[in-house]
Amino acid sequence: MGGRGLCGKAPVLDLRLPVWHPAGDKTGFDQMNLFADIRALVVAELTAMTAEGALPAGLDFAHVAVEPPRDAAHGDMATNAAMVLAKPAGLAPRAIADALAVRLAKDARIMAADVAGPGFLNLRLSNLVWQSVVKSALTDGADYGRSNAGGGRKVNVEFVSANPTGPMHVGHVRGAVVGDALSNLLAFAGWSVTREYYINDGGAQVDVLARSAYERYREANGLEPEIREGLYPGDYLVPVGAALKEKYGTSLLNQPESVWLTDLRDYASAMMMQEIRNDLAQLGVRMDVYSSEKALYGTGQIEAAIQTLRDQGLIYEGTLEPPKGKVPEDYEARIQTLFRSTAHGDDVDRPVMKSDGSWTYFAPDIAYHFDKVQRGFDELIDIFGADHGGYVKRMKAAVSALSGGRVPLDIKLVQLVKLYKNGEPFKMSKRAGTFVTLHDVVEQAGADVTRFMMLTRKNDVALDFDFAKVLEQSKDNPVFYVQYANARINSVLRKAQAAGLDVSDAALAKADLTQLSHPAEIDMAQQIAEWPREVEIAAKGNEPHRIAFFLYELASEFHGLWNRGNDDPSLRFIQEGKDATSCAKIALARATGVVISAGLSILGVKPAEEMR
RNA sequence: GCACCCAUAGCUCAGCUGGAUAGAGCGUUGCCCUCCGAAGGCAAAGGUCGCACGUUCGAAUCGUGCUGGGUGCACCA
């Protein structure tokens, strides 16, 4: 036996004894999450202690946590159980901790359980546990870290929703990326996700679009366009004008607006939407549903939504106080139809109908969100630009009222992106006139780099995007740093394969992982073990940026291990003449790669196979 | 005037939803790099977590009140 190229022959590493999953503890999905496993063990022991009378009955274990300690010197994991329970149990924290420590230490996975400080219980886990994590990553592959935290709940993520009046610009990019990555993340964490775009094609802005397009149509017919104040000046409408000439010839020239407005509005906004779809595709953003504001008019949906509010006594006729501070000069109190949003947490009531009897923008938006509620979503998420901050409370109030408080609405405000090039503020206006388009950004930086960088800040903080820096190949550049780690891993696999080793995941999963005993290797495995936990934390907080940060840390750990191989050849992944050891080390590298791929896939970034 | 967001090392930012001596990168300083895995590596210095109260075993994290910066505030979308 021991033929070259085999990564088998390992002792059985499956430590999943029944004790890991006490009956009634959630679903089987958490079995990949080591922290959840150990927490389950702690809770099981606490339950047993209660049964034996060591703890009073009726204690709430909800706040018992198992987490990595801030300082790794304290151990692999720590639980606050004793401190959380001390007061309600009427016992000293250390007494509970001591008793719990004795019990936990009996578990095969736990090497040591030490009480520290005011009552922390520090746990040191057997290397076998960390080694088995490597195996899990290899056997689960792309599903490693997948979670059922969402429990299959239906969530609707509305994002982008740019007006169909022009191409997408930088301001839209971040919201698009955040929404797309968040959708990926939630899907990975067990939610049933619908990605939705709300087309604002019902308001005055599409009339402006139609008039602007009409001027371009005149231009296409050899006339001088009159781009008056208030029209869209961008030359992206030139092709629209040409298409209109193609379709209508000269028949619309010198015709009054009433003749062509409706047609041009539909035609131009359809063309703009097509362009927006192309932009999204270029950025790698996928939508499941496009909903139209215009389609809500005339169907009775707006009336029905307002009626639902009226039935709750939330609609009334009245006048609003003028805004305090700077009052507009032409302010004049008027009677309007108002939504009593203050009954659901807003600061002032909001108009749904203008004094001339037409709907405000808010009304179709209410109807649209009512539609989402009626479609049966359990949760709604809206991604808005930061300039919509004033809109958050009224929208939440509306959803709260329309769903009877059943459906939570989380609104993520995405802050500005400031563009730079070599530290200088970046201005470019190829075709748009005044703004940098999404197309320009992606063309310069690439979709992968753009997406990753947009996720390196939490959404409510402004972000600097420097075209020079994001393309730099150095450690300063997080995209490169993570991609480089993946490239190194692939390089190891290629070399091993060339040397005749079977480096398939199936083969590597059978490697003798007990060979991974060096602290640096255990550290690497521990980082891999954190992945499922990180996914759940990020998903529950709707915070995709955590994935980007985690990948950076993971890459950092990997590069660190790689660099130590410079000084200590025994830490190199390929050990000449020692296939069993090589297989184990390559398995560790590949497991790291599995997580990087999974993480990048959530971010919507293609992993780099090699750097050039 | 009101609402929302932000404030953590010189700079750019993380910080596990309340845990132990608050972290990373850049920058600075020092050391290492003829070859064996260096588009680098190791180490050090650097903090009143904007301020003040409060909640409790325990606060950067939660609450209240301030200060400074950003954004938005009548029938615009």
Side-chain angles (χ1 to χ4, degrees):
Chain A
M1 49 195 288
R4 185 163 178 79
L6 291 177
C7 283
K9 315 289 183 297
V12 176
L13 256 176
D14 195 351
L15 286 176
R16 291 179 187 167
L17 309 173
V19 65
W20 290 47
H21 300 293
D25 189 64
K26 299 178 72 178
T27 71
F29 276 93
D30 280 339
Q31 61 187 325
M32 290 185 298
N33 188 334
L34 206 48
F35 293 90
D37 286 341
I38 299 300
R39 182 178 182 279
L41 173 68
V42 169
V43 170
E45 293 300 337
L46 290 171
T47 305
M49 286 168 69
T50 306
E52 292 171 15
L55 287 175
L59 289 179
D60 180 8
F61 298 149
H63 292 99
V64 171
V66 172
E67 299 168 326
R70 193 171 272 175
D71 185 345
H74 290 130
D76 299 322
M77 292 187 185
T79 177
N80 60 355
M83 284 181 293
V84 171
L85 299 176
K87 196 172 185 185
L91 295 168
R94 289 197 70 104
I96 300 175
D98 285 334
L100 186 58
V102 172
R103 290 175 159 272
L104 292 175
K106 288 178 185 162
D107 191 276
R109 290 161 292 173
I110 295 179
M111 294 285 285
D114 302 312
V115 182
F120 278 102
L121 193 47
N122 292 325
L123 306 177
R124 198 166 292 283
L125 271 55
S126 160
N127 278 357
L128 286 174
V129 172
W130 305 118
Q131 290 153 359
S132 72
V133 165
V134 173
K135 185 182 172 182
S136 293
L138 292 170
T139 51
D140 296 336
D143 287 330
Y144 174 65
R146 191 178 285 278
S147 154
N148 193 31
R153 284 195 295 283
K154 289 179 65 181
V155 60
N156 181 291
V157 184
E158 181 205 328
F159 58 111
V160 187
S161 298
N163 292 340
T165 54
M168 293 185 43
H169 54 82
V170 256
H172 298 122
V173 175
R174 191 172 177 191
V177 170
V178 168
D180 195 51
L182 175 58
S183 299
N184 292 340
L185 171 62
L186 290 174
F188 194 64
W191 272 265
S192 172
V193 181
T194 298
R195 305 141 181 268
E196 190 148 333
Y197 187 122
Y198 178 58
I199 307 171
N200 289 133
D201 53 3
Q205 78 280 9
V206 280
D207 290 343
V208 175
L209 173 71
R211 294 184 191 113
S212 307
Y214 183 74
E215 294 305 319
R216 295 301 184 179
Y217 161 73
R218 293 181 63 246
E219 183 180 39
N221 278 293
L223 299 169
E224 189 66 25
E226 295 171 22
I227 313 292
R228 298 181 301 278
E229 183 74 23
L231 294 188
Y232 300 130
D235 57 9
Y236 55 84
L237 288 175
V238 172
V240 177
L244 288 171
K245 182 194 174 193
E246 196 68 24
K247 184 176 180 188
Y248 293 101
T250 58
S251 66
L252 298 183
L253 292 176
N254 299 315
Q255 296 289 332
E257 187 174 298
S258 57
V259 171
W260 47 260
L261 186 69
T262 305
D263 284 355
L264 289 210
R265 196 167 56 197
D266 291 350
Y267 192 85
S269 60
M271 269 189 85
M272 289 301 108
M273 271 315 293
Q274 190 50 53
E275 181 150 10
I276 287 170
R277 285 171 193 244
N278 292 344
D279 285 347
L280 289 174
Q282 189 190 14
L283 190 58
V285 172
R286 188 171 61 78
M287 290 286 173
D288 297 315
V289 177
Y290 287 85
S291 288
S292 160
E293 176 193 357
K294 191 176 63 184
L296 292 168
Y297 289 96
T299 61
Q301 284 189 81
I302 297 175
E303 291 76 7
I306 300 301
Q307 186 60 43
T308 303
L309 296 175
R310 194 183 297 277
D311 292 344
Q312 300 178 42
L314 295 173
I315 299 291
Y316 67 102
E317 306 294 316
T319 55
L320 288 173
E321 293 285 311
K324 300 255 165 62
K326 53 162 199 196
V327 179
E329 290 177 13
D330 57 346
Y331 178 82
E332 189 181 335
R334 294 196 180 118
I335 293 183
Q336 303 167 244
T337 305
L338 303 172
F339 165 45
R340 199 182 304 281
S341 54
T342 48
H344 287 265
D346 202 356
D347 306 308
V348 291
D349 293 338
R350 307 290 179 176
V352 294
M353 191 180 273
K354 306 176 195 172
S355 53
D356 68 1
S358 65
W359 297 115
T360 64
Y361 171 77
F362 189 33
D365 231 359
I366 290 173
Y368 171 54
H369 280 77
F370 189 40
D371 179 59
K372 288 197 273 194
V373 169
Q374 288 182 317
R375 276 188 273 155
F377 290 104
D378 301 304
E379 301 172 27
L380 301 180
I381 298 173
D382 289 351
I383 312 270
F384 288 168
D387 55 342
H388 284 60
Y391 215 66
V392 170
K393 283 191 176 181
R394 79 186 69 171
M395 211 63 251
K396 285 189 173 181
V399 170
S400 170
L402 291 167
S403 73
R406 183 184 68 82
V407 179
L409 167 65
D410 188 10
I411 298 181
K412 292 286 177 190
L413 294 180
V414 175
Q415 287 289 339
L416 288 177
V417 176
K418 293 181 216 159
L419 293 178
Y420 295 89
K421 193 156 195 171
N422 289 313
E424 298 289 318
F426 183 80
K427 296 251 194 276
M428 181 168 63
S429 50
K430 266 201 252 169
R431 52 196 290 260
T434 54
F435 52 77
V436 180
T437 63
L438 175 148
H439 181 85
D440 293 334
V441 174
V442 174
E443 197 173 64
Q444 290 229 358
D448 287 333
V449 167
T450 302
R451 292 184 61 115
F452 194 103
M453 291 307 298
M454 290 294 164
L455 292 162
T456 54
R457 291 283 178 276
K458 51 188 168 196
N459 59 279
D460 43 17
V461 168
L463 175 117
D464 292 344
F465 187 97
D466 191 312
F467 284 106
K469 278 187 182 167
V470 300
L471 294 173
E472 201 171 274
Q473 299 209 338
S474 79
K475 194 179 176 184
D476 311 354
N477 179 354
V479 194
F480 169 80
Y481 197 60
V482 171
Q483 294 281 31
Y484 190 29
N486 200 56
R488 276 181 158 171
I489 290 163
N490 281 307
S491 161
V492 167
L493 292 173
R494 279 196 304 272
K495 279 185 186 168
Q497 190 161 33
L501 292 176
D502 181 354
V503 295
S504 67
D505 287 355
L508 291 175
K510 290 180 193 149
D512 174 14
L513 297 172
T514 59
Q515 304 254 356
L516 300 174
S517 56
H518 192 284
E521 293 168 337
I522 297 298
D523 284 350
M524 188 75 246
Q526 287 177 340
Q527 191 71 23
I528 292 168
E530 286 242 20
W531 170 239
R533 190 169 164 273
E534 196 65 35
V535 168
E536 292 202 355
I537 290 171
K540 284 176 181 170
N542 294 333
E543 296 177 323
H545 75 278
R546 285 179 184 275
I547 302 300
F549 278 98
F550 176 82
L551 288 180
Y552 184 81
E553 283 170 27
L554 184 74
S556 177
E557 192 76 41
F558 181 79
H559 288 306
L561 181 58
W562 178 283
N563 288 327
R564 291 188 66 160
N566 292 330
D567 298 330
D568 182 353
S570 75
L571 283 175
R572 296 181 188 181
F573 293 99
I574 299 175
Q575 300 287 318
E576 197 65 36
K578 289 190 274 186
D579 286 356
T581 307
S582 295
C583 284
K585 291 173 184 295
I586 294 165
L588 179 64
R590 172 58 190 152
T592 307
V594 163
V595 174
I596 291 179
S597 298
L600 288 179
S601 152
I602 286 172
L603 304 186
V605 175
K606 288 184 289 299
E609 298 301 316
E610 54 186 326
M611 308 304 297
R612 36 185 106 183

